[in-house]
Amino acid sequence: MIFEPKDVFRKLEFDKVLDLLEKEALTPMAAEQLRALTPSMDFNWIDKSLRETREYKLILEKNDRFPLERFPDILPDLKMLEVDGFTLQAEAFQGILRVLILMRDVFRFFAGGAKKEIYPKLYDVIRELSNDEQLMKSITAVFDEKGEIRPDASPDLLRIRREIQQKIRELDGRFRQIIQECRSKGWLSDSPESFRNGRRVLSVPAEHKRKIRGIIHDESDTGRTSFIEPEAVIEINNDIFDLEHEERREIFRILRSLSETLRPYSNLLRSYAHVLVRFDEIRAKASLANALRAGMPILKEKPVFYIRKGYHPLLYLKNKQTGKKTIPFELRLNSENHILILSGPNAGGKSVAMKSVGLLQLMVQSGLLVPVHELSEFGIFKQVFADIGDQQSLDDDLSTYSSRLQNARVFLQKAHPETLVLIDEMGSGTDPKPGGAIAEAILRQLHRKGVYAVITTHYSNLKVYAFRNPGILNGNMHFDKDTLSPTYELKVGRPGSSYAFEIAEKSGLPRDLIGYARNRTGSETAVDDILIELQREKQELEEKLRSVQEKEQSLERLIKSYDSMHQDLDVKRKRLKLDQKEHELRISANTNREVDKLIRELKGEKNLEKAQEVAAKLRLERSEKARQVDEVSEEVVKLEQKSPANTMTRPIAVGDFVRLRAGGSTGQVEEIKGQKVTLLMGGLRITTTLRDLLPAAEPIAQPSAISASDIQRVADFDAKVDIRGMAKDEALQVLERFVDNALLTSAHTIQILHGKGTGVLRMVVKQKLREYGGNIARAYHPEDGGGDGVTVVELA
């Protein structure tokens, strides 16, 4: 990213956020990484960082203990380990062991499948790594819990230490004898023994030193006491000295062997160290987010602002400590309206609001959660320019105004539509008239370049320019006229006033002085008042126009829905007629047996003419009923094809509204895979096939996707229905409602009790299920659950 000027981090106080992050780190390694954190333009990196932090914040909120504690920096030791033949010191192995133990615990944390599902982005950090506990066992075989070399680290070490202990016991016994002998003769001091040069010696007064045979190792500062190693223990001390030297050689050999064991795994150990530092960074970000009550906004690849309930992070923390309330703000900037001119009284919060926008943007692009509502939206900017505060420079011989003009020149040279520009008190520092004119010219160029900007000002001409030009919004920091105090609320849509006279009056200036000043300004204050009134009227008109447009769209949808419902009603009416005709045709077919019997009786009576007449009449009636069925069926098809939604020539696509051929319910296509379609219907998802769908008009918008009654219906749905004893028509209606509800509630299996009887109801069930096509995976009669009297249906 490009920042102008170079101290943007300091001006927007991003450096203070980094200070807070650094304090949250457990290790110096993570603190160093966090101190070097800078905003990125990589959408994927930002999204991943935000999601990682959000997941760790969830761990903190749930008190789901993540096994991360302080650990030493092992990278310098690993660098030395890569040198062939190099032997690490015991302290280095303790650091490596600490890292291995933490990584073992991290792998165990994610060992259960649930943690991988709840914290997928955190699991991605270790997904490519494997846990090698053998390395940890190799170290613990050498070191005990206190970090000391184990006595049994090798057979030779065990032998040496046993021999040392044996010699020490022998030395103790011999030394006690010598002390007793010398003490009885009065040759020892009050403290009879000491250690000098690693040797156990007697403390002998100077006058008796010639009486004891041995080696004098030292004398006291006064010369009154000599420290003598008795001749009788010299050989034992020599043996102990030799054994201790042998012990050191054996320990070095053990550490060298352990170094050789770990050397091939130096890259894996380095990966472990990097992973733990990464988790420490994420934990620090999550801890700060917890303090800020921050969340993850919606991330967009292109520049955009939609800040809802946003807070300045540092102000929020400061007020939180003192118990003060922090006022949130809302701001929306997009390609249509991309510049905000913010005006209002001094100390009203203009600069804080402007800095909040910049600081929140830098935090988001640095992968930090921000104190905004989670439905807020942040885009990605490639440049951030900020002109804030006094930039007078004695070294460069620049006044405050000259430095501002120099910044403006750089901004105009480098600005493009993916630039965020923040300017405080635009045009200030010189004569208001030429200063305001130059500021307007700069604003004009920034507007033409399409930059996103938040600019604070007191100049009326900039407010007027914003009023006259689309793409620029006026905004103000609300001021309570009654109490003459700021409320710190950002109001977008109207310019603000400086309230200079009101504040001056409150401060106690004489009335005649304020009256004189009012007369001197005259028309200038009138322009401000007129502009505010015009902006108010414009905003009211825009709101009314927006309301009318919404009503027109709603009316258009209502008309389309009415047409569709009217068409559906005709289709249903024809379908009902078709069902009646089919029913009559089926009844006619069911009377075949009786008619055949009648014909046989007539033939038996040798009344052949009458039998032929009856058969012909029957055939004519059945033919007429079949013709009526075909006509009504053809009418139904034509009506469905004439439906407004069905006139589309393109195939059904994602986002289209459709309805089920059988059930008639309307939903929206969410996903299409081959012939399988996933629908959103009443807030629930169902799966069906393309051939079972018909295009439909968009339904009238409902207040909410799922009502309490919908949820209750899902909860109360009984996956079993009993149609025994019902008439055929009644059974068909009950079955249709039952199967429709099963699909809407995403039931997997349903049971239909129809009994055995004559088999009529079983055929009715079979016929009705056939109408649902691809929604039925299979239907069968369970041998151990009712046999032919029950149909179990598995829904697709």
Side-chain angles (χ1 to χ4, degrees):
M1 287 185 70
I2 297 175
F3 303 98
E4 290 291 346
K6 302 306 179 186
D7 61 347
V8 166
F9 285 8
R10 182 183 61 79
K11 291 183 179 297
L12 295 177
E13 298 180 291
F14 183 65
D15 57 331
K16 294 182 180 178
V17 173
L18 296 182
D19 288 340
L20 294 173
L21 273 177
E22 195 174 359
K23 292 176 183 177
E24 295 290 345
L26 293 174
T27 63
M29 301 80 77
E32 184 179 354
Q33 293 292 328
L34 292 168
R35 167 51 62 185
L37 185 65
T38 56
S40 170
M41 296 183 293
D42 186 340
F43 178 88
N44 293 327
W45 180 88
I46 297 170
D47 184 66
K48 181 183 69 172
S49 298
L50 291 173
R51 292 180 186 278
E52 288 172 348
T53 308
R54 182 175 64 179
E55 288 178 5
Y56 207 112
K57 180 171 176 278
L58 180 61
I59 287 177
L60 297 177
E61 290 171 347
K62 293 172 62 179
N63 200 22
D64 197 357
R65 288 184 56 81
F66 189 84
L68 186 64
E69 298 173 3
R70 296 180 186 277
F71 58 94
D73 185 7
I74 66 170
L75 294 182
D77 295 322
L78 294 178
K79 187 175 181 181
M80 298 305 299
L81 183 63
E82 291 176 345
V83 178
D84 287 338
F86 186 84
T87 302
L88 293 178
Q89 297 299 312
E91 296 79 8
F93 287 110
Q94 293 306 303
I96 293 173
L97 179 61
R98 183 68 184 146
V99 168
L100 288 171
I101 291 173
L102 286 175
M103 282 304 299
R104 177 202 63 187
D105 294 343
V106 169
F107 279 109
R108 288 180 179 177
F109 179 84
F110 288 108
K115 297 289 177 64
K116 296 176 185 178
E117 298 297 326
I118 299 172
Y119 313 117
K121 293 299 178 183
L122 292 179
Y123 179 65
D124 284 345
V125 177
I126 64 165
R127 188 183 296 274
E128 302 300 325
L129 294 175
S130 59
N131 181 26
D132 193 341
E133 292 198 16
Q134 191 58 45
L135 296 177
M136 188 172 63
K137 291 177 181 178
S138 299
I139 298 176
T140 54
V142 174
F143 295 92
D144 60 17
E145 294 79 4
K146 297 180 180 179
E148 303 291 336
I149 301 288
R150 289 180 177 275
D152 58 349
S154 75
D156 284 344
L157 183 62
L158 183 60
R159 175 187 58 79
I160 293 168
R161 288 190 171 177
R162 283 176 178 172
E163 291 181 5
I164 290 174
Q165 292 302 317
Q166 183 180 349
K167 288 293 182 181
I168 289 174
R169 285 194 296 272
E170 184 182 347
L171 177 64
D172 284 343
R174 188 74 186 100
F175 220 84
R176 279 196 298 271
Q177 290 177 0
I178 295 171
I179 289 175
Q180 286 176 359
E181 292 174 3
C182 293
R183 179 174 285 160
S184 64
K185 296 177 181 179
W187 293 349
L188 298 180
S189 303
D190 294 337
S191 300
E193 62 178 303
S194 182
F195 277 89
R196 287 294 186 274
N197 301 324
R199 299 279 185 142
R200 195 170 178 179
V201 295
L202 297 173
S203 300
V204 182
E207 61 270 21
H208 300 303
K209 67 181 179 180
R210 300 298 178 189
K211 298 176 182 178
I212 300 175
R213 296 179 62 84
I215 299 172
I216 299 175
H217 281 275
D218 196 7
E219 289 184 348
S220 65
D221 294 337
T222 61
R224 294 180 180 178
T225 304
S226 296
F227 299 99
I228 302 173
E229 180 183 6
E231 185 178 45
V233 299
I234 290 175
E235 187 175 347
I236 300 175
N237 273 332
N238 286 340
D239 290 342
I240 293 174
F241 180 81
D242 291 340
L243 287 170
E244 287 176 345
H245 185 64
E246 188 179 354
E247 179 188 32
R248 287 193 294 272
R249 284 201 307 269
E250 179 60 18
I251 288 174
F252 180 78
R253 189 196 64 76
I254 292 170
L255 296 182
R256 183 176 59 191
S257 175
L258 185 57
S259 297
E260 292 298 329
T261 301
L262 297 183
R263 204 181 314 280
Y265 300 95
S266 59
N267 287 333
L268 177 62
L269 293 171
R270 183 177 287 104
S271 298
Y272 283 175
H274 286 314
V275 162
L276 290 177
V277 171
R278 173 93 172 275
F279 278 129
D280 192 7
E281 292 176 43
I282 297 170
R283 193 206 64 83
K285 293 179 182 180
S287 297
L288 180 61
N290 241 0
L292 290 170
R293 295 180 62 189
M296 178 179 171
I298 299 169
L299 196 62
K300 301 288 185 179
E301 294 195 47
K302 295 296 182 182
V304 69
F305 272 121
Y306 186 15
I307 301 175
R308 303 176 63 178
K309 293 185 179 179
Y311 296 88
H312 188 292
L314 302 176
L315 181 63
Y316 177 83
L317 290 178
K318 180 183 176 183
N319 288 345
K320 184 180 177 182
Q321 292 174 351
T322 59
K324 290 183 180 179
K325 182 181 178 183
T326 308
I327 308 299
F329 71 96
E330 300 205 5
L331 175 62
R332 186 168 196 167
L333 296 179
N334 50 38
S335 56
E336 294 179 2
N337 295 306
H338 51 91
I339 296 180
L340 174 69
I341 300 298
L342 190 55
S343 51
N346 288 322
K350 299 190 303 296
S351 298
V352 172
M354 178 201 61
K355 285 183 177 180
S356 298
V357 172
L359 181 55
L360 292 175
Q361 185 64 39
L362 292 180
M363 289 177 67
V364 167
Q365 291 193 227
S366 299
L368 299 175
L369 301 182
V370 286
V372 298
H373 191 283
E374 292 195 347
L375 291 179
S376 301
E377 296 177 9
F378 282 82
I380 307 298
F381 289 89
K382 293 183 178 179
Q383 301 185 131
V384 176
F385 299 161
D387 185 359
I388 301 171
D390 187 0
Q391 300 177 57
Q392 184 175 2
S393 172
L394 296 177
D395 294 336
D396 298 330
D397 195 23
L398 289 175
S399 66
T400 299
Y401 188 65
S402 298
S403 66
R404 285 183 173 275
L405 292 179
Q406 193 174 72
N407 283 339
R409 177 181 59 79
V410 174
F411 292 178
L412 293 175
Q413 284 176 350
K414 297 184 177 181
H416 54 66
E418 292 179 299
T419 304
L420 173 62
V421 177
L422 306 167
I423 302 178
D424 192 24
E425 301 295 351
M426 188 176 192
S428 64
T430 189
D431 188 293
K433 287 191 175 179
I438 293 173
E440 184 176 326
I442 294 171
L443 174 61
R444 178 169 168 266
Q445 285 299 104
L446 291 174
H447 181 220
R448 287 183 173 181
K449 285 180 173 285
V451 304
Y452 285 70
V454 178
I455 298 170
T456 69
T457 188
H458 287 286
Y459 288 162
S460 297
N461 64 311
L462 298 185
K463 305 175 196 176
V464 173
Y465 187 85
F467 175 77
R468 290 176 176 171
N469 289 273
I472 308 179
L473 297 173
N474 266 310
N476 73 88
M477 301 307 295
H478 187 254
F479 191 79
D480 190 333
K481 292 182 180 179
D482 297 327
T483 61
L484 293 178
S485 58
T487 64
Y488 305 107
E489 294 179 52
L490 172 60
K491 302 284 187 180
V492 177
R494 301 180 190 177
S497 171
S498 64
Y499 293 100
F501 296 124
E502 290 82 353
I503 294 173
E505 190 171 343
K506 184 183 179 182
S507 67
L509 285 178
R511 288 182 177 273
D512 57 339
L513 187 149
I514 294 172
Y516 177 83
R518 282 185 185 275
N519 291 331
R520 292 294 298 167
T521 55
S523 59
E524 291 183 12
T525 54
V527 168
D528 251 9
D529 294 339
I530 293 170
L531 180 61
I532 292 172
E533 185 61 26
L534 283 173
Q535 191 79 51
R536 183 187 63 78
E537 292 177 359
K538 179 184 177 184
Q539 192 173 2
E540 289 176 357
L541 285 173
E542 286 176 348
E543 288 174 358
K544 288 180 180 178
L545 179 61
R546 197 159 42 245
S547 176
V548 169
Q549 289 173 343
E550 288 175 357
K551 288 178 180 177
E552 285 180 352
Q553 291 172 359
S554 179
L555 179 60
E556 187 177 347
R557 285 196 301 271
L558 188 63
I559 292 171
K560 286 182 180 179
S561 181
Y562 172 78
D563 290 341
S564 177
M565 290 169 64
H566 181 72
Q567 194 74 27
D568 287 346
L569 187 61
D570 285 346
V571 171
K572 287 180 180 177
R573 191 182 295 116
K574 293 295 183 183
R575 274 187 175 170
L576 181 61
K577 186 177 178 182
L578 176 61
D579 290 342
Q580 291 173 344
K581 294 296 182 184
E582 287 178 339
H583 180 61
E584 291 174 5
L585 187 60
R586 284 193 295 271
I587 292 174
S588 176
N590 290 337
T591 58
N592 277 350
R593 210 173 297 158
E594 297 176 7
V595 172
D596 289 342
K597 183 179 177 182
L598 177 61
I599 291 174
R600 281 195 301 271
E601 289 175 357
L602 291 173
K603 284 182 178 180
E605 295 174 2
K606 296 185 179 180
N607 194 345
L608 187 59
E609 291 182 2
K610 189 173 182 181
Q612 289 174 344
E613 181 182 344
V614 170
K617 183 178 179 182
L618 179 61
R619 283 195 299 272
L620 184 62
E621 287 178 358
R622 291 186 62 190
S623 175
E624 177 63 22
K625 284 184 173 63
R627 185 186 62 78
Q628 291 175 359
V629 168
D630 290 341
E631 286 180 357
V632 175
S633 179
E634 189 176 344
E635 289 178 11
V636 169
V637 172
K638 287 180 179 178
L639 280 171
E640 285 182 339
Q641 291 174 346
K642 287 180 181 178
S643 175
N646 294 352
T647 56
M648 70 164 77
T649 55
R650 64 176 177 81
I652 293 173
V654 173
D656 289 346
F657 288 90
V658 294
R659 61 183 176 84
L660 298 172
R661 286 182 183 273
S665 300
T666 301
Q668 190 172 19
V669 177
E670 183 184 48
E671 185 181 34
I672 299 177
K673 286 185 177 179
Q675 294 298 311
K676 290 284 185 181
V677 182
T678 302
L679 298 180
L680 278 176
M681 190 174 289
L684 301 172
R685 286 181 175 81
I686 66 168
T687 303
T688 183
T689 59
L690 277 171
R691 67 174 179 271
D692 294 323
L693 297 176
L694 290 172
E698 180 181 355
I700 302 171
Q702 298 297 321
S704 62
I706 302 178
S707 66
S709 61
D710 293 331
I711 297 171
Q712 189 62 40
R713 180 179 65 187
V714 174
D716 294 344
F717 176 70
D718 187 356
K720 184 185 294 185
V721 67
D722 188 352
I723 60 171
R724 290 176 295 183
M726 294 185 184
K728 188 176 180 181
D729 290 343
E730 182 186 4
L732 284 168
Q733 292 176 3
V734 170
L735 280 174
E736 181 168 319
R737 285 196 301 271
F738 175 66
V739 178
D740 282 354
N741 285 334
L743 291 171
L744 289 173
T745 55
S746 297
H748 297 294
T749 305
I750 56 176
Q751 286 188 2
I752 304 170
L753 279 67
H754 45 69
K756 297 181 180 179
T758 61
V760 173
L761 288 179
R762 185 170 69 248
M763 295 304 296
V764 167
V765 171
K766 188 175 181 181
Q767 171 196 338
K768 175 53 68 177
L769 293 178
R770 194 179 295 119
E771 294 177 5
Y772 285 88
N775 291 306
I776 306 299
R778 71 176 182 132
Y780 60 93
H781 306 296
E783 293 182 3
D784 56 349
D788 292 343
V790 177
T791 297
V792 175
V793 183
E794 293 181 358
L795 300 176

